[in-house]
Amino acid sequence: MFRKTRACGNLPPICEEISNPHYGMSPPGGIGYSTPMKDTTDTLAETNLDDFIVCPQCDAVYRLKRPDRGERAVCQRCHKVLIMPRKNAGLHIIAVALAVVFLIIGAAVFPFLTIDAAGNKNAVSILDAALAFTGGPLLALSLATAALIIFIPLFRVLLTLYVLVPIVLDRQPARHAISAFRISEAMRPWSMAEIFAIGCAVALVKITDLANVAFGPAFWMFGILVVLVIAQDSFMCRWSVWHSLEHPKKS
Amino acid sequence: MVCMAFSGTPEKIISARELGIVACTRCTKAWPLGTQTCGRCGHTLVSRDRLSLQRVWAFWLMGLICYVPANIYPMLITKTLFQEDKSTIIGGAIELAKYGNLGIAAIILFASVVIPLGKFWAIAFLAISVKQQRVISTRFRRVLYEVVEYIGRWSMIDIFVVAILSALVQLKALASINPGLASIFFALSVIFTMLSAQAFDSRMIWDVQARDGGKPQDE
């Protein structure tokens, strides 16, 4: 089904197959540029659409060809990465995710920054920072901030564990794994832990003149956390996850 | 590892709609045109979102409306021993510049004025340009789209800085910093521009290219 025709991880565009018959099996019905769309639809319905992959960003169609491990399949038109399998990616992601769960909980509870000016001391945790907006309409902002920097990242990690653990163990996917992964993907832009970390750096620069600021244990936890969250996102090949959710192993 | 395909011979790429396929924008699976929801991930399938631009403009306008009070009301209320100081975003930056912190003032102005305004401009430009026949390189549109998508979340940094400062600087009588009303409008403005950018159907960018004669964008 999946043919390797090139050394690099690029997917052949579908028309390449049409114009170069030597490329392998040609699509049934001889889909060409001039073929009316209606006919194409009919023949395509019979074709196995599983053979195709479509770039979500620019709608370019490619014939599916799985890249080897370590390679990436990149859309030739908009350069979006479509498939990027890695060796033991699942295990790595699970390990990172477990670490992230503990780090988020730790970072949220322990003191994060301490300030010291003329004998007055104040230590805050991330939860304090998130809930700094109090009173009236600012309360909504407090809750939103807490969600963006703690709860959404935490929830996403838990969902990832829920989806990936059965897949990596070669079991049947967990119940509702598909909707769990869907929610996790939908929340991706709203998980802002790394932005908060940079925000800390900016805030520090702003008040170093005013007072002595020291890092608490949670600051370092959060620093590691940010690196791990970014690493986790770059390990994860979304296409592979969807594919294994669709074709569960029956063992 | 990454291998770009264009090596002299530009291959014509067919879009899914021309083939009578509708693709899931979430999990990249192909379905026959007319399928309503993706059988793999349950995402709603639309070949081209007709209402996309309307939603883009609606969120864009909301974002812009919220951006006005974000600049009028104070962002930070600083109380020191004898005085209470309310500073707006721009006012705070000007004050910093007066005290000699030109670098920080420039960063603040860049992050909370130049980037948000640039984002408004970029989204509006994309939404208008996909409707027009004028020849603008697809490459430029693509870069603009990616930048807007990527940078949108980072504007939230202002809100986080305010949150950290007002949680941390609570030194009883000596000094305290409290968030002002502008923070909530600024946050809303960022959220609306993010929603606006998400509502944009990026496939339209490449449709325009195909309609304009299908020049390869990378040369």
Side-chain angles (χ1 to χ4, degrees), chain A residues 189-190 192 195, chain B residues 111 115-116 119 123 144-158 186-187 189-195 197-198:
Chain A
W190 304 100
M192 299 190 177
I195 298 170
Chain B
I115 287 185
K119 225 164 39 181
I123 295 175
L144 204 59
Y145 174 73
E146 278 169 7
V147 168
V148 167
E149 274 257 283
Y150 183 77
I151 231 171
R153 312 159 60 225
W154 284 93
S155 296
M156 234 21 204
I157 201 169
D158 267 25
F186 195 88
S189 173
V190 173
I191 289 171
F192 281 126
T193 40
M194 276 177 73
L195 288 172
Q198 281 176 15

Side-chain angles (χ1 to χ4, degrees), chain A residues 165-248:
Chain A
V165 168
I167 292 181
V168 171
L169 295 178
D170 281 347
R171 300 260 170 82
Q172 284 277 332
R175 278 209 304 164
H176 309 302
I178 287 180
S179 22
F181 193 57
R182 197 170 73 205
I183 296 169
S184 153
E185 284 294 281
M187 287 193 308
R188 187 143 53 105
W190 304 100
S191 161
M192 299 190 177
E194 72 271 24
I195 298 170
F196 182 77
I198 306 291
C200 287
V202 177
L204 284 183
V205 172
K206 270 188 159 180
I207 48 171
T208 35
D209 294 348
L210 192 73
N212 287 322
V213 181
F215 304 125
F219 184 85
W220 305 110
M221 284 175 148
F222 211 72
I224 301 169
L225 177 78
V226 168
V227 176
L228 288 182
V229 167
I230 293 172
Q232 192 196 17
D233 261 353
S234 63
F235 278 145
M236 170 113 70
C237 171
R238 283 160 191 98
W239 183 87
S240 304
V241 176
W242 284 121
H243 189 77
S244 20
L245 285 176
E246 192 188 23
H247 307 279

Side-chain angles (χ1 to χ4, degrees), chain B residues 169-189:
Chain B
V169 186
Q170 295 294 345
L171 300 171
K172 292 171 194 130
L174 192 66
S176 71
I177 294 182
N178 286 307
L181 204 55
S183 53
I184 195 164
F185 286 108
F186 195 88
L188 281 176
S189 173

Side-chain angles (χ1 to χ4, degrees), chain A residues 73-173:
Chain A
V74 182
C75 175
Q76 298 180 23
R77 182 152 72 170
C78 70
H79 302 181
K80 191 176 174 65
V81 177
L82 299 176
I83 312 178
M84 46 165 196
R86 274 165 183 270
K87 207 179 170 206
N88 291 333
L91 269 182
H92 289 169
I93 294 170
I94 289 174
V96 170
L98 281 175
V100 167
V101 171
F102 289 112
L103 283 174
I104 289 183
I105 295 171
V109 177
F110 288 115
F112 180 64
L113 290 171
T114 49
I115 189 171
D116 186 353
N120 284 309
K121 275 193 180 175
N122 189 23
V124 290
S125 69
I126 292 179
L127 265 180
D128 292 332
L131 299 175
F133 306 100
T134 42
L138 290 177
L139 185 66
L141 193 53
S142 251
L143 297 178
T145 316
L148 291 175
I149 59 184
I150 302 172
F151 296 114
I152 290 183
L154 187 62
F155 190 49
R156 275 199 70 211
V157 170
L158 293 177
L159 286 177
T160 308
L161 282 174
Y162 181 76
V163 171
L164 281 187
V165 168
I167 292 181
V168 171
L169 295 178
D170 281 347
R171 300 260 170 82
Q172 284 277 332

Side-chain angles (χ1 to χ4, degrees), chain A residues 8 10 15-16 44 49-50 56-57 59 61 70 72 76-78 122 124 137 182 189 191 194 239 242 246, chain B residues 1-3 5-6 11-12 14-16 19 26-29 32 40-41 48 153 167-168 184 202 206 217:
Chain A
C8 74
N10 266 304
C15 49
E16 191 181 314
L44 274 169
L49 281 172
D50 284 349
Q57 187 162 297
D59 215 27
V61 185
R72 306 203 285 182
Q76 298 180 23
R77 182 152 72 170
C78 70
N122 189 23
V124 290
R182 197 170 73 205
S191 161
E194 72 271 24
W239 183 87
W242 284 121
E246 192 188 23
Chain B
M1 230 37 108
V2 196
C3 172
F6 286 107
E11 296 144 337
K12 186 156 169 30
I14 305 188
S15 75
L19 268 183
R26 182 172 284 148
C27 72
T28 70
K29 196 171 163 69
R40 173 152 77 180
C41 70
R48 289 298 178 276
R153 312 159 60 225
L168 190 62
I184 195 164
S202 60
W206 285 271
Q217 79 275 22

